[in-house]
Amino acid sequence: MCNQTLRKVAVMELGSIEREIRIEASPEVVFDVVSSPEHLKAWWPDEAELSPTGDGRIGFDKGGEGIGWEQFTVVDAMPPRHFSFRWTHPVGEKAALGNSYLVVFELEPAGTGTLLKMTETGFRERGWAEAKVAAEHADHSTGWDHFIPRLAPYAEKVGAGR
């Protein structure tokens, strides 16, 4: 297994979160790991349900309170280089700027592996007060710092099994 250092990219004014990580697996494998519900559940949410149209929901275990569901809509899927989605929009609303976050995964070949660049935006566009923007940004930053490092060993395991 190679060095899987998570690189935080400096971001101004709470507008976005950016992370980079090198993964010893092909872009094709990494694309599958960030875009398929069965793989997502291995490193990020506890549950993932997506329709063939790319709409669905992901769920996070809330302990004794069950699963907390978040809406999820695929925006773009261009295997094996780009996958993006919007999430956290209200049930019954179409995901859009102003009611959801946009997460973009860019995958670049890097030697025998892949450089994954993740960006999440949409914090300021929600119309929240500064304190709410700061709290949401901090919560998501902490979350990605936990989940992105889990992606690399899982993708490498998937790649080794192919």
Side-chain angles (χ1 to χ4, degrees):
M1 185 159 34
C2 250
N3 180 6
Q4 303 166 347
T5 304
L6 176 66
R7 184 171 157 255
K8 297 180 187 183
V9 180
V11 179
M12 300 294 291
E13 299 191 21
L14 309 176
S16 67
I17 297 168
E18 297 179 15
R19 300 291 184 266
E20 291 183 1
I21 192 166
R22 188 176 185 298
I23 303 168
E24 271 304 313
S26 71
E28 290 80 10
V29 167
V30 177
F31 183 89
D32 285 347
V33 167
V34 300
S35 65
S36 302
E38 63 274 9
H39 290 305
L40 284 173
K41 293 187 297 186
W43 65 271
W44 186 33
D46 297 299
E47 297 291 335
E49 301 171 352
L50 292 179
S51 72
T53 64
D55 292 317
R57 62 188 188 160
I58 57 174
F60 297 90
D61 187 359
K62 299 288 186 183
E65 301 174 32
I67 298 288
W69 292 99
E70 298 290 350
Q71 299 303 299
F72 186 100
T73 301
V74 174
V75 175
D76 286 312
M78 295 176 276
R81 302 298 290 266
H82 175 94
F83 181 72
S84 63
F85 61 89
R86 288 196 167 276
W87 71 308
T88 73
H89 49 288
V91 174
E93 288 187 24
K94 183 175 173 70
L97 182 67
N99 76 350
S100 60
Y101 301 110
L102 175 65
V103 175
V104 177
F105 290 107
E106 294 289 341
L107 300 111
E108 299 175 11
T112 58
T114 302
L115 177 64
L116 177 139
K117 296 178 182 180
M118 185 283 304
T119 304
E120 183 176 33
T121 58
F123 297 93
R124 295 217 170 269
E125 293 79 3
R126 306 280 299 250
W128 292 325
E130 189 68 18
K132 173 75 170 168
V133 170
E136 288 291 316
H137 189 274
D139 183 52
H140 284 239
S141 290
T142 299
W144 288 119
D145 287 347
H146 172 76
F147 290 112
I148 293 290
R150 293 171 42 148
L151 192 161
Y154 178 73
E156 290 168 2
K157 180 179 167 186
V158 170
R162 287 192 176 179

